[in-house]
């Protein structure tokens, strides 16, 4: 049985390692958010693949926002089209790195942690498509500004990156422990 004493960050074991009670809850919140994000992403892609693909497009707000079925074999804006295995490997490496950073609690800021989690969720959602289908299913189409067609995973990636950049800028880069 380990001897423990109270300290400022929780309890300390006899060899001075803090035992925190919040970490399992935070990891559980990561798992739940990841599962919910992946379910939302995969369900919308499944719907697009099975229902929208035969139609091609549904105009929700003509000239502004449409649901348009697209198969993307590249990255954002279809760059490097056809490089499925390259993107799969790079995405896998990024997801592993995110898991290490979050698992080891290497960030000081909770918003930075969740922003990385969002990037990981989006990356994993698109990785599932690349592995299972050989392409990423996209469906959200802002025709008003002639923007790229995107999906729920892309929303997670974009929001996660934007949040991380904001935290990095406003915390003046001091986000790593």
């Amino acid at each position: 049985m380990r001897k423990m004493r109270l300290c400022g960050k929780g309890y300390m074991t006899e060899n001075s390692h803090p035992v925190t009670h919040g970490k399992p809850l935070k990891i559980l919140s990561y798992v739940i958010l990841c599962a919910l994000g992946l379910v939302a992403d995969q369900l919308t892609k499944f719907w697009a693949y099975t229902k929208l693909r035969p139609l091609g497009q549904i105009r929700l707000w003509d000239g502004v926002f449409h649901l348009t079925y697209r198969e993307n074999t590249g990255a954002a804006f279809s760059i490097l089209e056809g490089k499925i295995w390259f993107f799969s490997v790079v995405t896998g490496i990024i997801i592993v790195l995110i898991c290490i950073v979050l698992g080891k609690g290497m960030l000081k800021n909770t918003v930075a942690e969740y922003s990385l989690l969002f990037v990981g969720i989006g990356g994993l959602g698109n990785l599932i498509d690349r592995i299972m289908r050989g392409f990423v299913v996209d469906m959200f189409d802002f025709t008003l500004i002639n923007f790229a067609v995107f999906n729920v995973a892309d929303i997670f990636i974009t929001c996660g990156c934007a949040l991380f950049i904001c935290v990095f800028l406003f915390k003046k880069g001091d986000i790593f422990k």
Side-chain angles (χ1 to χ4, degrees):
M1 184 100 176
R2 297 188 301 185
K3 292 182 183 178
M4 297 165 88
R5 61 184 165 81
L6 187 59
C7 73
K9 291 186 177 181
Y11 287 93
M12 300 286 284
T13 62
E14 56 204 22
N15 46 358
S16 298
H17 295 293
V19 177
T20 58
H21 300 288
K23 190 171 182 177
L25 288 177
K26 187 173 272 193
I27 290 174
L28 179 62
S29 74
Y30 294 163
V31 171
I32 291 170
L33 187 57
C34 186
L36 291 173
L38 286 175
V39 165
D41 177 60
Q42 292 301 305
L43 283 178
T44 56
K45 288 174 179 175
F46 177 77
W47 175 85
Y49 188 76
T50 58
K51 304 293 183 193
L52 184 60
R53 182 172 54 123
L55 301 173
Q57 185 178 73
I58 297 172
R59 295 175 182 193
L60 297 177
W61 186 358
D62 196 29
V64 178
F65 182 71
H66 302 171
L67 295 175
T68 305
Y69 181 81
R70 292 279 190 271
E71 295 176 357
N72 186 353
T73 61
F77 305 102
S78 297
I79 59 173
L80 296 174
E81 240 178 285
K83 307 290 185 204
I84 295 294
W85 289 108
F86 170 75
F87 288 116
S88 297
V89 169
V90 169
T91 301
I93 291 169
I94 291 169
I95 291 168
V96 168
L97 290 174
I98 289 171
C99 288
I100 290 169
V101 168
L102 295 177
K104 291 191 174 202
M106 297 169 69
L107 297 174
K108 292 180 186 177
N109 187 291
T110 302
V111 176
E113 291 173 340
Y114 282 98
S115 67
L116 280 186
L117 181 66
F118 281 17
V119 172
I121 292 168
L124 187 56
N126 284 339
L127 179 62
I128 290 169
D129 272 23
R130 287 187 180 105
I131 292 170
M132 300 300 289
R133 293 189 176 98
F135 54 87
V136 174
V137 173
D138 291 325
M139 78 284 300
F140 301 123
D141 186 4
F142 278 106
T143 55
L144 179 68
I145 57 173
N146 197 24
F147 194 70
V149 181
F150 57 97
N151 59 45
V152 172
D154 297 335
I155 294 169
F156 272 100
I157 293 168
T158 303
C159 291
C161 288
L163 276 173
F164 193 84
I165 290 168
C166 288
V167 171
F168 186 80
L169 291 175
F170 291 114
K171 290 292 184 176
K172 300 189 181 9
D174 187 28
I175 57 175
F176 292 96
K177 289 182 181 176

